[in-house]
């Protein structure tokens, strides 16, 4: 990915907006009782990505809570909401990411065990990714930037039968009138609000079918 969407810097009249004018995201969603996993959500003026697991059916699977000692397993920038939302390191999102020339977001989903994620900013990209290896090895990449273990704290069925989504929305909740006015009245402020993507790859284990269809919208 060479460019992450950016927009107007979210300060006006020396007051901080409660809503980011842009809300780019790369995420997975499921149908019915399945939850959601966000590999990347960007909110100005943060220079780090929000990485989150959502359980939309607590009555069926219980609430996902991440163990308090989770920070020993990843080197991100902290967490929120009981660890269900973690953050990539500083300078791995939005303007700093773009100024570095882009990079790679990688998510490893080992169903029943964990989800891990890494963010690599150029030029610090592992050789097996850079060289297009058909079998990249996450165990050689060092500590992940986010880690979500499954087990007693979070049922692995929360994320199941998922599909990938890449989108840009405007004014994340809680939406303010100030944010909506900027979107309506300053279209020129969104000239840099786009994704520039070289590729998106899905890797499956040998003899495993993990990609069953491609969905799109016109």
């Amino acid at each position: 990915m060479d460019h992450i969407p950016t927009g107007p810097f979210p300060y006006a009249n020396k007051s901080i907006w409660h809503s980011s004018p842009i809300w780019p995201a790369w995420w997975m969603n499921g149908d019915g009782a399945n939850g959601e996993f966000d590999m990347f959500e960007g909110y100005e003026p943060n220079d780090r990505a929000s990485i989150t697991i959502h359980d939309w059916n607590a009555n069926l699977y219980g609430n996902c809570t991440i163990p308090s000692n989770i920070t020993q397993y990843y080197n991100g920038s902290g967490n929120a909401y009981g660890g269900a939302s973690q953050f990539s390191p500083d300078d791995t999102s939005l303007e700093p990411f773009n100024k570095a020339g882009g990079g790679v977001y990688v998510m490893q989903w080992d169903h029943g065990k964990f989800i891990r994620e890494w963010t690599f900013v150029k030029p610090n990209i592992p050789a097996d990714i850079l060289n297009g290896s058909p079998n990249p090895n996450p165990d050689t990449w060092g500590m992940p930037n986010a880690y979500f273990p499954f087990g007693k704290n979070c049922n692995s069925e929360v994320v199941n039968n998922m599909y990938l989504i890449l989108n840009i929305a405007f004014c994340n909740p809680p939406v303010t009138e100030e944010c909506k006015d900027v979107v309506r009245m300053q279209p020129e402020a969104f000239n840099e609000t786009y994704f520039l993507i070289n590729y998106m790859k899905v890797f499956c284990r040998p003899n495993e079918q993990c990609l069953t269809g491609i969905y799109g919208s016109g």
Side-chain angles (χ1 to χ4, degrees):
M1 189 183 303
D2 288 343
H3 188 278
I4 287 176
T6 58
F9 192 66
Y11 290 86
N13 300 322
K14 297 183 179 180
S15 66
I16 300 177
W17 293 344
H18 296 288
S19 182
S20 173
I22 61 163
W23 185 10
W26 176 46
W27 52 297
M28 299 191 305
N29 196 24
D31 296 319
N34 295 312
E36 173 186 326
F37 189 83
D38 305 323
M39 286 81 77
F40 163 82
E41 286 187 284
Y43 305 99
E44 291 186 317
N46 293 331
D47 59 5
R48 57 186 187 172
S50 176
I51 306 162
T52 308
I53 189 168
H54 294 282
D55 180 3
W56 299 130
N57 198 329
N59 290 331
L60 182 61
Y61 297 125
N63 289 309
C64 274
T65 58
I66 307 302
S68 59
N69 65 344
I70 194 65
T71 52
Q72 67 179 297
Y73 299 106
Y74 79 101
N75 63 352
S77 299
N79 60 77
Y81 308 111
S85 187
Q86 300 171 21
F87 306 101
S88 67
D90 295 338
D91 298 329
T92 57
S93 181
L94 301 179
E95 196 64 31
F97 182 92
N98 294 340
K99 286 183 177 179
V104 180
Y105 278 83
V106 184
M107 187 270 281
Q108 180 190 21
W109 176 15
D110 192 331
H111 195 274
K113 294 183 179 179
F114 57 76
I115 291 178
R116 300 191 293 180
E117 185 166 330
W118 291 260
T119 305
F120 301 112
V121 179
K122 292 180 179 178
N124 301 311
I125 299 175
D128 55 359
I129 295 177
L130 199 60
N131 298 332
S133 169
N135 297 296
N137 184 5
D139 291 333
T140 66
W141 299 342
M143 290 184 69
N145 303 143
Y147 176 69
F148 299 86
F150 295 118
K152 65 179 181 180
N153 294 90
C154 188
N155 192 317
S156 63
E157 294 303 310
V158 166
V159 283
N160 198 13
N161 297 323
M162 311 295 278
Y163 50 90
L164 290 166
I165 302 170
L166 188 72
N167 74 283
I168 303 171
F170 299 98
C171 296
N172 65 293
V175 178
T176 63
E177 288 301 319
E178 187 175 15
C179 185
K180 290 192 288 186
D181 286 344
V182 169
V183 175
R184 292 191 194 103
M185 307 302 294
Q186 299 181 32
E188 70 282 355
F190 297 90
N191 290 335
E192 296 298 314
T193 308
Y194 63 90
F195 283 104
L196 183 58
I197 300 170
N198 290 316
Y199 60 84
M200 184 181 296
K201 295 182 179 180
V202 177
F203 296 92
C204 305
R205 293 185 181 86
N207 303 316
E208 178 184 51
Q209 185 179 12
C210 62
L211 183 63
T212 58
I214 298 175
Y215 305 87
S217 60

